[in-house]
mmCIF file of all heavy atoms in Angstrom:
data_model
loop_
_atom_site.group_PDB
_atom_site.id
_atom_site.type_symbol
_atom_site.label_atom_id
_atom_site.label_comp_id
_atom_site.label_asym_id
_atom_site.label_seq_id
_atom_site.Cartn_x
_atom_site.Cartn_y
_atom_site.Cartn_z
ATOM 1 N N GLU D 1435 -27.316 -95.258 76.273
ATOM 2 C CA GLU D 1435 -27.212 -94.067 77.111
ATOM 3 C C GLU D 1435 -25.760 -93.606 77.081
ATOM 4 O O GLU D 1435 -24.876 -94.296 77.583
ATOM 5 C CB GLU D 1435 -27.634 -94.370 78.545
ATOM 6 C CG GLU D 1435 -27.414 -93.196 79.506
ATOM 7 C CD GLU D 1435 -27.579 -93.570 80.967
ATOM 8 O OE1 GLU D 1435 -28.260 -94.583 81.247
ATOM 9 O OE2 GLU D 1435 -27.018 -92.865 81.830
ATOM 10 N N VAL D 1436 -25.512 -92.452 76.479
ATOM 11 C CA VAL D 1436 -24.165 -91.893 76.470
ATOM 12 C C VAL D 1436 -23.904 -91.318 77.858
ATOM 13 O O VAL D 1436 -24.407 -90.249 78.207
ATOM 14 C CB VAL D 1436 -24.009 -90.811 75.376
ATOM 15 C CG1 VAL D 1436 -22.592 -90.250 75.406
ATOM 16 C CG2 VAL D 1436 -24.333 -91.381 74.000
ATOM 17 N N TYR D 1437 -23.129 -92.035 78.639
ATOM 18 C CA TYR D 1437 -22.933 -91.682 80.039
ATOM 19 C C TYR D 1437 -21.863 -90.610 80.219
ATOM 20 O O TYR D 1437 -21.971 -89.746 81.073
ATOM 21 C CB TYR D 1437 -22.574 -92.940 80.837
ATOM 22 C CG TYR D 1437 -22.404 -92.698 82.314
ATOM 23 C CD1 TYR D 1437 -23.490 -92.326 83.102
ATOM 24 C CD2 TYR D 1437 -21.161 -92.839 82.924
ATOM 25 C CE1 TYR D 1437 -23.343 -92.096 84.458
ATOM 26 C CE2 TYR D 1437 -21.001 -92.624 84.275
ATOM 27 C CZ TYR D 1437 -22.099 -92.248 85.040
ATOM 28 O OH TYR D 1437 -21.940 -92.020 86.382
ATOM 29 N N SER D 1438 -20.825 -90.673 79.417
ATOM 30 C CA SER D 1438 -19.760 -89.673 79.449
ATOM 31 C C SER D 1438 -19.076 -89.654 78.097
ATOM 32 O O SER D 1438 -19.494 -90.350 77.173
ATOM 33 C CB SER D 1438 -18.756 -89.981 80.566
ATOM 34 O OG SER D 1438 -18.038 -91.173 80.273
ATOM 35 N N ILE D 1439 -18.018 -88.883 77.966
ATOM 36 C CA ILE D 1439 -17.324 -88.763 76.690
ATOM 37 C C ILE D 1439 -16.740 -90.104 76.237
ATOM 38 O O ILE D 1439 -16.616 -90.358 75.035
ATOM 39 C CB ILE D 1439 -16.206 -87.697 76.763
ATOM 40 C CG1 ILE D 1439 -15.679 -87.350 75.357
ATOM 41 C CG2 ILE D 1439 -15.073 -88.133 77.690
ATOM 42 C CD1 ILE D 1439 -14.737 -86.161 75.324
ATOM 43 N N ASP D 1440 -16.463 -91.005 77.167
ATOM 44 C CA ASP D 1440 -15.836 -92.284 76.802
ATOM 45 C C ASP D 1440 -16.595 -93.510 77.306
ATOM 46 O O ASP D 1440 -16.061 -94.621 77.280
ATOM 47 C CB ASP D 1440 -14.399 -92.331 77.309
ATOM 48 C CG ASP D 1440 -14.302 -92.250 78.829
ATOM 49 O OD1 ASP D 1440 -15.288 -91.845 79.470
ATOM 50 O OD2 ASP D 1440 -13.230 -92.586 79.382
ATOM 51 N N GLU D 1441 -17.853 -93.336 77.748
ATOM 52 C CA GLU D 1441 -18.636 -94.449 78.272
ATOM 53 C C GLU D 1441 -20.065 -94.416 77.743
ATOM 54 O O GLU D 1441 -20.641 -93.348 77.541
ATOM 55 C CB GLU D 1441 -18.706 -94.401 79.796
ATOM 56 C CG GLU D 1441 -17.423 -94.689 80.527
ATOM 57 C CD GLU D 1441 -17.610 -94.555 82.029
ATOM 58 O OE1 GLU D 1441 -17.710 -93.411 82.512
ATOM 59 O OE2 GLU D 1441 -17.675 -95.574 82.715
ATOM 60 N N ALA D 1442 -20.625 -95.603 77.547
ATOM 61 C CA ALA D 1442 -22.026 -95.706 77.131
ATOM 62 C C ALA D 1442 -22.614 -97.014 77.645
ATOM 63 O O ALA D 1442 -21.953 -98.055 77.633
ATOM 64 C CB ALA D 1442 -22.153 -95.633 75.613
ATOM 65 N N PHE D 1443 -23.858 -96.938 78.117
ATOM 66 C CA PHE D 1443 -24.619 -98.137 78.460
ATOM 67 C C PHE D 1443 -25.460 -98.547 77.254
ATOM 68 O O PHE D 1443 -26.009 -97.702 76.552
ATOM 69 C CB PHE D 1443 -25.555 -97.870 79.655
ATOM 70 C CG PHE D 1443 -24.851 -97.691 80.962
ATOM 71 C CD1 PHE D 1443 -24.657 -96.421 81.490
ATOM 72 C CD2 PHE D 1443 -24.400 -98.788 81.682
ATOM 73 C CE1 PHE D 1443 -24.021 -96.247 82.707
ATOM 74 C CE2 PHE D 1443 -23.759 -98.625 82.899
ATOM 75 C CZ PHE D 1443 -23.571 -97.351 83.409
ATOM 76 N N MET D 1444 -25.566 -99.857 77.043
ATOM 77 C CA MET D 1444 -26.344 -100.375 75.920
ATOM 78 C C MET D 1444 -27.234 -101.520 76.379
ATOM 79 O O MET D 1444 -26.797 -102.384 77.140
ATOM 80 C CB MET D 1444 -25.422 -100.859 74.794
ATOM 81 C CG MET D 1444 -26.163 -101.416 73.582
ATOM 82 S SD MET D 1444 -25.053 -102.159 72.350
ATOM 83 C CE MET D 1444 -24.209 -100.728 71.741
ATOM 84 N N ASP D 1445 -28.478 -101.509 75.921
ATOM 85 C CA ASP D 1445 -29.410 -102.590 76.227
ATOM 86 C C ASP D 1445 -29.189 -103.744 75.252
ATOM 87 O O ASP D 1445 -29.340 -103.587 74.046
ATOM 88 C CB ASP D 1445 -30.848 -102.075 76.127
ATOM 89 C CG ASP D 1445 -31.861 -103.065 76.693
ATOM 90 O OD1 ASP D 1445 -31.511 -104.246 76.885
ATOM 91 O OD2 ASP D 1445 -33.009 -102.660 76.949
ATOM 92 N N LEU D 1446 -28.833 -104.910 75.793
ATOM 93 C CA LEU D 1446 -28.606 -106.102 74.973
ATOM 94 C C LEU D 1446 -29.640 -107.189 75.265
ATOM 95 O O LEU D 1446 -29.413 -108.366 74.991
ATOM 96 C CB LEU D 1446 -27.190 -106.654 75.203
ATOM 97 C CG LEU D 1446 -26.012 -105.752 74.814
ATOM 98 C CD1 LEU D 1446 -24.690 -106.451 75.103
ATOM 99 C CD2 LEU D 1446 -26.072 -105.362 73.346
ATOM 100 N N SER D 1447 -30.787 -106.781 75.812
ATOM 101 C CA SER D 1447 -31.813 -107.749 76.209
ATOM 102 C C SER D 1447 -32.412 -108.507 75.033
ATOM 103 O O SER D 1447 -33.014 -109.565 75.211
ATOM 104 C CB SER D 1447 -32.936 -107.047 76.991
ATOM 105 O OG SER D 1447 -32.425 -106.379 78.128
ATOM 106 N N ASN D 1448 -32.273 -107.950 73.825
ATOM 107 C CA ASN D 1448 -32.823 -108.624 72.648
ATOM 108 C C ASN D 1448 -31.951 -109.788 72.184
ATOM 109 O O ASN D 1448 -32.326 -110.529 71.275
ATOM 110 C CB ASN D 1448 -33.004 -107.633 71.507
ATOM 111 C CG ASN D 1448 -31.732 -106.892 71.141
ATOM 112 O OD1 ASN D 1448 -30.991 -106.464 72.026
ATOM 113 N ND2 ASN D 1448 -31.482 -106.715 69.853
ATOM 114 N N PHE D 1449 -30.786 -109.964 72.809
ATOM 115 C CA PHE D 1449 -29.931 -111.110 72.507
ATOM 116 C C PHE D 1449 -30.101 -112.181 73.593
ATOM 117 O O PHE D 1449 -30.351 -111.859 74.756
ATOM 118 C CB PHE D 1449 -28.452 -110.697 72.427
ATOM 119 C CG PHE D 1449 -28.151 -109.734 71.320
ATOM 120 C CD1 PHE D 1449 -28.025 -108.370 71.571
ATOM 121 C CD2 PHE D 1449 -28.007 -110.177 70.019
ATOM 122 C CE1 PHE D 1449 -27.753 -107.477 70.553
ATOM 123 C CE2 PHE D 1449 -27.734 -109.290 68.989
ATOM 124 C CZ PHE D 1449 -27.605 -107.941 69.257
ATOM 125 N N SER D 1450 -29.983 -113.435 73.203
ATOM 126 C CA SER D 1450 -30.138 -114.526 74.164
ATOM 127 C C SER D 1450 -28.948 -114.597 75.099
ATOM 128 O O SER D 1450 -27.868 -114.054 74.817
ATOM 129 C CB SER D 1450 -30.295 -115.862 73.431
ATOM 130 O OG SER D 1450 -29.064 -116.251 72.828
ATOM 131 N N ASP D 1451 -29.122 -115.276 76.226
ATOM 132 C CA ASP D 1451 -28.058 -115.423 77.212
ATOM 133 C C ASP D 1451 -26.822 -116.089 76.614
ATOM 134 O O ASP D 1451 -25.691 -115.769 76.981
ATOM 135 C CB ASP D 1451 -28.551 -116.246 78.404
ATOM 136 C CG ASP D 1451 -29.650 -115.536 79.192
ATOM 137 O OD1 ASP D 1451 -30.100 -114.456 78.751
ATOM 138 O OD2 ASP D 1451 -30.065 -116.073 80.242
ATOM 139 N N ASP D 1452 -27.047 -117.012 75.703
ATOM 140 C CA ASP D 1452 -25.939 -117.787 75.129
ATOM 141 C C ASP D 1452 -25.088 -116.994 74.144
ATOM 142 O O ASP D 1452 -23.905 -117.279 73.974
ATOM 143 C CB ASP D 1452 -26.472 -119.055 74.441
ATOM 144 C CG ASP D 1452 -27.087 -120.038 75.425
ATOM 145 O OD1 ASP D 1452 -26.697 -120.003 76.614
ATOM 146 O OD2 ASP D 1452 -27.970 -120.830 75.014
ATOM 147 N N GLU D 1453 -25.707 -115.994 73.491
ATOM 148 C CA GLU D 1453 -24.973 -115.299 72.443
ATOM 149 C C GLU D 1453 -24.435 -113.928 72.859
ATOM 150 O O GLU D 1453 -23.685 -113.299 72.105
ATOM 151 C CB GLU D 1453 -25.865 -115.129 71.197
ATOM 152 C CG GLU D 1453 -27.121 -114.297 71.415
ATOM 153 C CD GLU D 1453 -28.018 -114.235 70.191
ATOM 154 O OE1 GLU D 1453 -27.568 -114.599 69.101
ATOM 155 O OE2 GLU D 1453 -29.195 -113.832 70.313
ATOM 156 N N VAL D 1454 -24.803 -113.484 74.067
ATOM 157 C CA VAL D 1454 -24.466 -112.122 74.462
ATOM 158 C C VAL D 1454 -22.951 -111.904 74.575
ATOM 159 O O VAL D 1454 -22.444 -110.820 74.266
ATOM 160 C CB VAL D 1454 -25.194 -111.745 75.772
ATOM 161 C CG1 VAL D 1454 -24.604 -112.505 76.980
ATOM 162 C CG2 VAL D 1454 -25.126 -110.246 76.013
ATOM 163 N N LEU D 1455 -22.193 -112.921 74.991
ATOM 164 C CA LEU D 1455 -20.737 -112.788 75.087
ATOM 165 C C LEU D 1455 -20.124 -112.549 73.714
ATOM 166 O O LEU D 1455 -19.259 -111.680 73.546
ATOM 167 C CB LEU D 1455 -20.121 -114.024 75.737
ATOM 168 C CG LEU D 1455 -18.580 -114.033 75.844
ATOM 169 C CD1 LEU D 1455 -18.089 -112.851 76.685
ATOM 170 C CD2 LEU D 1455 -18.083 -115.355 76.452
ATOM 171 N N ASN D 1456 -20.574 -113.312 72.724
ATOM 172 C CA ASN D 1456 -20.082 -113.133 71.354
ATOM 173 C C ASN D 1456 -20.439 -111.749 70.816
ATOM 174 O O ASN D 1456 -19.658 -111.133 70.079
ATOM 175 C CB ASN D 1456 -20.645 -114.215 70.432
ATOM 176 C CG ASN D 1456 -20.090 -115.596 70.745
ATOM 177 O OD1 ASN D 1456 -18.971 -115.721 71.249
ATOM 178 N ND2 ASN D 1456 -20.856 -116.644 70.437
ATOM 179 N N VAL D 1457 -21.631 -111.273 71.186
ATOM 180 C CA VAL D 1457 -22.055 -109.928 70.761
ATOM 181 C C VAL D 1457 -21.112 -108.881 71.356
ATOM 182 O O VAL D 1457 -20.690 -107.946 70.671
ATOM 183 C CB VAL D 1457 -23.511 -109.648 71.180
ATOM 184 C CG1 VAL D 1457 -23.876 -108.190 70.932
ATOM 185 C CG2 VAL D 1457 -24.464 -110.567 70.434
ATOM 186 N N GLY D 1458 -20.785 -109.037 72.637
ATOM 187 C CA GLY D 1458 -19.863 -108.115 73.289
ATOM 188 C C GLY D 1458 -18.504 -108.087 72.599
ATOM 189 O O GLY D 1458 -17.920 -107.018 72.385
ATOM 190 N N GLN D 1459 -18.001 -109.253 72.227
ATOM 191 C CA GLN D 1459 -16.724 -109.331 71.527
ATOM 192 C C GLN D 1459 -16.794 -108.693 70.143
ATOM 193 O O GLN D 1459 -15.843 -108.052 69.689
ATOM 194 C CB GLN D 1459 -16.275 -110.795 71.436
ATOM 195 C CG GLN D 1459 -15.901 -111.394 72.793
ATOM 196 C CD GLN D 1459 -15.729 -112.889 72.763
ATOM 197 O OE1 GLN D 1459 -16.218 -113.572 71.847
ATOM 198 N NE2 GLN D 1459 -15.054 -113.455 73.773
ATOM 199 N N GLU D 1460 -17.953 -108.871 69.486
ATOM 200 C CA GLU D 1460 -18.136 -108.266 68.166
ATOM 201 C C GLU D 1460 -18.186 -106.742 68.259
ATOM 202 O O GLU D 1460 -17.621 -106.043 67.411
ATOM 203 C CB GLU D 1460 -19.422 -108.789 67.523
ATOM 204 C CG GLU D 1460 -19.604 -108.320 66.069
ATOM 205 C CD GLU D 1460 -20.899 -108.795 65.453
ATOM 206 O OE1 GLU D 1460 -21.588 -109.652 66.066
ATOM 207 O OE2 GLU D 1460 -21.249 -108.305 64.356
ATOM 208 N N ILE D 1461 -18.882 -106.227 69.283
ATOM 209 C CA ILE D 1461 -18.942 -104.780 69.495
ATOM 210 C C ILE D 1461 -17.535 -104.227 69.682
ATOM 211 O O ILE D 1461 -17.151 -103.230 69.076
ATOM 212 C CB ILE D 1461 -19.823 -104.441 70.722
ATOM 213 C CG1 ILE D 1461 -21.291 -104.763 70.435
ATOM 214 C CG2 ILE D 1461 -19.682 -102.970 71.104
ATOM 215 C CD1 ILE D 1461 -22.197 -104.652 71.658
ATOM 216 N N ARG D 1462 -16.760 -104.887 70.520
ATOM 217 C CA ARG D 1462 -15.397 -104.431 70.815
ATOM 218 C C ARG D 1462 -14.527 -104.405 69.548
ATOM 219 O O ARG D 1462 -13.829 -103.415 69.291
ATOM 220 C CB ARG D 1462 -14.761 -105.331 71.872
ATOM 221 C CG ARG D 1462 -13.417 -104.852 72.378
ATOM 222 C CD ARG D 1462 -12.956 -105.676 73.564
ATOM 223 N NE ARG D 1462 -11.737 -105.137 74.118
ATOM 224 C CZ ARG D 1462 -10.508 -105.530 73.785
ATOM 225 N NH1 ARG D 1462 -10.336 -106.483 72.905
ATOM 226 N NH2 ARG D 1462 -9.435 -104.974 74.330
#
């Protein structure tokens, strides 16, 4: 969901609880 010009919400439910932090770091 593109919330504003510099913000977006993303659904990460397809990733497990254990790997979601690494996914966040990879996105960044």
Side-chain angles (χ1 to χ4, degrees):
E1435 174 191 338
V1436 180
Y1437 182 66
S1438 68
I1439 192 171
D1440 62 343
E1441 291 178 286
F1443 290 102
M1444 180 187 291
D1445 191 344
L1446 297 180
S1447 303
N1448 56 317
F1449 297 100
S1450 71
D1451 294 6
D1452 294 335
E1453 62 184 346
V1454 71
L1455 178 60
N1456 292 332
V1457 171
Q1459 292 168 341
E1460 186 182 350
I1461 291 172
R1462 187 171 185 267

